Amino acid sequence: MRTTGDTRARILTAATELFRRQGYAATGMKQIVADAGAPYGSAYHFFPGGKAQLGEEVIRTSGAAYLGLIAELFPEPGPRADPALATAEAFTAAALTLRELDYADPCPVATIALEVASTNETLRGAAAEVFDSWIDGLAAYYTACGIAGPAARDIATSVIGLLEGAFMLGRTARSTQPVLAAATAAAAVVRAMRAQSTEA
């Protein structure tokens, strides 16, 4: 038996997938509820603010889910951990995900952010908070691996930027090569900054 919670979750899941695949502007509420198998009116029952409210929730829930991946993709931090290798392996896993998704954007947060950063302050702000949370989470890992605090945040910002940019290049080229190339660059940055922190 389906519950109202199930219906809300199905709408959110459908919106996340559609925004990820075809973008925010190209996705309408009718398509979202159709994919969710929900009555049209239920979308506005659960999301009275309409598509903008739904978009903000997609950003925040997806952002939290991706933040959880840091714990999964990066091993237990510590002085003996190899953050450069962990970073390269995370990029390699991301390249495989991109290929498995047939080069659709694996990140709904980035897809929405690219569209609305100059036109919707609420969604821009939500995306900015999500990206900050990812940077904070990754910076905490690098700090635990012995990289000084400010440098750790700079590295984390660079790594997130490299990954999101590589996703865009990989999608347009329909190739994992940009992500794998970014893996090498990201690992080199981490290795160099860790060496500097050790020497200091």
Side-chain angles (χ1 to χ4, degrees):
M1 174 189 244
R2 288 180 172 177
T3 67
T4 55
D6 291 336
T7 301
R8 188 181 192 284
R10 291 200 319 275
I11 292 170
L12 186 59
T13 298
T16 300
E17 180 63 15
L18 288 167
F19 290 159
R20 180 183 67 75
R21 280 202 332 258
Q22 61 189 37
Y24 179 79
T27 302
M29 291 295 274
K30 287 185 179 179
Q31 185 181 12
I32 291 169
V33 294
D35 276 29
Y40 183 72
S42 63
Y44 291 94
H45 170 73
F46 293 113
F47 304 96
K51 183 177 167 184
Q53 182 184 353
L54 183 54
E56 182 177 1
E57 185 142 354
V58 166
I59 289 171
R60 295 192 184 281
T61 55
S62 298
Y66 279 86
L67 179 60
L69 285 177
I70 291 177
E72 294 180 24
L73 291 174
F74 290 83
E76 191 67 27
R80 294 188 178 181
D82 186 344
L85 177 61
T87 301
E89 290 178 344
F91 273 66
T92 299
L96 293 175
T97 298
L98 183 64
R99 187 172 63 196
E100 288 168 359
L101 292 173
D102 195 29
Y103 302 99
D105 196 337
C107 180
V109 178
T111 303
I112 297 173
L114 283 171
E115 287 188 61
V116 304
S118 300
T119 58
N120 188 309
E121 182 60 20
T122 299
L123 297 184
R124 183 210 63 77
E129 289 175 17
V130 164
F131 287 135
D132 274 344
S133 74
W134 294 353
I135 291 167
D136 287 343
L138 198 51
Y141 169 78
Y142 290 137
T143 299
C145 290
I147 298 172
R153 185 167 177 82
D154 286 347
I155 293 170
T157 302
S158 298
V159 167
I160 297 297
L162 279 167
L163 182 60
E164 293 295 350
F167 276 150
M168 181 180 67
L169 293 176
R171 289 179 65 203
T172 54
R174 293 188 64 80
S175 169
T176 59
Q177 190 277 331
V179 182
L180 296 176
T184 302
V189 169
V190 174
R191 192 173 294 112
M193 293 303 292
R194 192 185 195 198
Q196 287 181 19
S197 294
T198 302
E199 292 169 2

